Amino acid sequence: MYWRFTTPGHKMEIIEADGITSEPCEVDGFTLAPAQRYSAIVTAHESSDFNFIYNCTMYADFIPFIPGLNPRIYTGLIEYRQDAPIKHMEIVGDDQLVWADDLNMHALNGEPALPMDRQVVLETRAFISTERINFRKLGSLPYTEPLVPSLFTAMSMGEQAMDPRVYGPQAQAYVIPLNQSVEILLKNPQGQPHSQHQHGGWFQIIERGPVDRSELEQPPLPLNFSLADVPFIPVQRYTGVPMSRDTVDVPPFSYVKLRFRGDNPGVHLHHCHLNPTHSGAGLSITFVVAPDVLQKTLRIPDELYEMCARQGIKTEGNAVGNWGLDFTGLPTVPVELVGSSPRVPLPSGAPPNSANSPDSAIPPNSVNSPDSANSPNSANSPNSANSPDSAIPPNSTPPQPIN
């Protein structure tokens, strides 16, 4: 659910979002997507002649209207004096109000936009597996918790921790070297918003705009929706100093560009906060930041190992507890049912496995995998060699920690 808050008759200034202090930004109200936070200063009147009403609407405009439930409207009293009458303000449409907008806000620290050392492209997709299970994905596969938590893999795999493949295909891992600046191009071709939250730090909000119409997904047919109904979405970009936060709302049929620096070594999830039907269905990926540094600077508490032991969770090795690229015992990867993705029909003549095909999922160790820049086949890989898999033998012995 989303929340929309206003204080009619009062000046409101946003001064913080998701833990990042901003330059004061005067607005009539703000919308909160799941996991977002704001701090605001509301200026009181000098007179206590009247009391006022504040409004908070909880809604989800991507599900049907349900009287009394969606939307749900709450009001409260801004009380200046107990016996003062209530001053009812003129009711105006939301389109006549000034709403908080990430791209109109500026971080108070004055940090300029980060350079782009690398771009990671993510795209929200939904599909049905051949077992008739609903899944969602941001990368080539839905996220599933690996048998060995990715933090333990990062800590136990030595130099091999720099290879994204050791985290398993379902972790959808992207390995980020220390201090690398990453731009996330996050595309939402669907008819509902996604509230994307990132652990381990904040990202700068750089740009928002429309997804190409050839990439759009059709909503369920009962909505009688067609491409002609997609609204005009302008391209908007930050000005001056970009705002930073850890959660961004990606509107329907839109993209956002986000930038962050890999300066916090660790294993950080990036996921949709519309639980459980979105993140619970696989709409997540993993950023593994500087695992080589992590091994030198982090000590996992003994209590965490004991907790895992009690639950039968392995605490070393690759995603399944083996070494190298031996994935014997890997849980079944969901296979997409052909035609289950509600993507807009392809133009005539498009090849069946084109980028617009619902069956175009990329194998985790192909050159176009989520982290091909760090693949052992890449010239940028710390383990690159002439042979495709010579850097990590499939049945290698346990690696030595990085000293």
Side-chain angles (χ1 to χ4, degrees):
M1 302 296 283
Y2 284 64
W3 295 263
R4 183 160 279 191
F5 184 80
T6 59
T7 55
H10 292 76
K11 177 183 177 182
M12 181 192 297
E13 289 182 304
I14 302 292
I15 59 168
E16 175 268 336
D18 298 352
I20 297 296
T21 306
S22 69
E23 295 180 4
C25 180
E26 186 171 347
V27 296
D28 294 318
F30 56 82
T31 298
L32 284 170
Q36 289 188 324
R37 294 89 68 202
Y38 279 116
S39 293
I41 294 177
V42 178
T43 303
H45 296 293
E46 295 183 359
S47 169
S48 61
D49 293 343
F50 296 98
N51 295 329
F52 294 80
I53 299 293
Y54 69 81
N55 303 305
C56 183
T57 301
M58 184 172 69
Y59 71 98
D61 56 10
F62 48 88
I63 62 176
F65 169 77
I66 305 173
L69 292 177
N70 183 36
R72 228 181 247 187
I73 299 174
Y74 299 92
T75 60
L77 186 65
I78 304 175
E79 186 176 83
Y80 285 87
R81 197 178 75 243
Q82 188 173 12
D83 60 348
I86 294 176
K87 185 173 184 178
H88 294 280
M89 306 302 296
E90 179 184 0
I91 298 176
V92 298
D94 287 351
D95 58 347
Q96 299 180 51
L97 301 177
V98 176
W99 296 95
D101 187 329
D102 298 329
L103 290 169
N104 292 333
M105 297 177 63
H106 309 282
L108 190 62
N109 61 17
E111 183 180 17
L114 294 168
M116 184 179 70
D117 297 331
R118 170 189 180 187
Q119 186 180 70
V120 170
V121 180
L122 304 176
E123 186 175 47
T124 64
R125 286 292 179 190
F127 70 92
I128 301 173
S129 73
T130 52
E131 297 179 338
R132 302 304 195 272
I133 299 174
N134 290 314
F135 285 99
R136 293 179 181 271
K137 60 183 180 179
L138 279 174
S140 59
L141 288 171
Y143 175 88
T144 304
E145 292 181 3
L147 299 182
V148 176
S150 296
L151 176 62
F152 289 108
T153 294
M155 292 292 288
S156 65
M157 290 297 289
E159 293 183 358
Q160 297 174 8
M162 296 298 292
D163 189 314
R165 295 177 297 173
V166 301
Y167 302 94
Q170 289 146 298
Q172 291 292 285
Y174 297 76
V175 176
I176 311 297
L178 184 65
N179 288 324
Q180 185 179 69
S181 294
V182 179
E183 178 174 274
I184 303 173
L185 170 57
L186 179 51
K187 298 191 285 184
N188 177 22
Q190 300 175 320
Q192 60 182 349
H194 293 283
S195 182
Q196 295 296 131
H197 174 65
Q198 185 160 314
H199 296 205
W202 297 269
F203 43 67
Q204 296 176 331
I205 301 176
I206 301 297
E207 186 176 295
R208 181 173 60 233
V211 171
D212 189 275
R213 285 180 174 249
S214 66
E215 299 178 299
L216 298 184
E217 280 190 2
Q218 289 281 24
L221 293 179
L223 293 180
N224 297 319
F225 190 93
S226 70
L227 287 178
D229 299 311
V230 176
F232 170 75
I233 301 171
V235 175
Q236 297 174 274
R237 193 172 173 87
Y238 81 96
T239 57
V241 174
M243 186 58 191
S244 295
R245 58 190 315 167
D246 62 24
T247 307
V248 64
D249 182 48
V250 190
F253 313 119
S254 301
Y255 72 82
V256 295
K257 290 182 179 180
L258 316 168
R259 291 183 189 174
F260 72 95
R261 189 186 303 279
D263 56 5
N264 183 20
V267 177
H268 309 304
L269 206 62
H270 178 107
H271 64 95
C272 181
H273 232 287
L274 291 174
N275 300 317
T277 57
H278 288 202
S279 61
L283 205 59
S284 306
I285 56 96
T286 309
F287 285 120
V288 183
V289 179
D292 52 342
V293 177
L294 189 67
Q295 293 173 18
K296 301 174 184 177
T297 57
L298 177 70
R299 178 186 175 275
I300 297 178
D302 293 338
E303 292 81 1
L304 194 53
Y305 285 102
E306 294 168 3
M307 185 185 302
C308 291
R310 288 195 297 270
Q311 300 177 70
I313 298 173
K314 299 177 181 179
T315 55
E316 62 178 3
N318 62 22
V320 295
N322 300 329
W323 301 108
L325 297 180
D326 176 10
F327 287 105
T328 303
L330 182 73
T332 302
V333 174
V335 177
E336 185 171 332
L337 183 67
V338 175
S340 70
S341 177
R343 192 188 293 265
V344 172
L346 293 175
S348 60
N353 290 318
S354 71
N356 287 326
S357 168
D359 299 315
S360 60
I362 301 170
N365 48 353
S366 74
V367 292
N368 291 320
S369 72
D371 209 55
S372 60
N374 284 327
S375 167
N377 299 332
S378 166
N380 296 324
S381 167
N383 296 321
S384 61
N386 293 328
S387 175
D389 290 318
S390 62
I392 304 180
N395 296 302
S396 62
T397 57
Q400 297 299 314
I402 297 175
N403 297 318

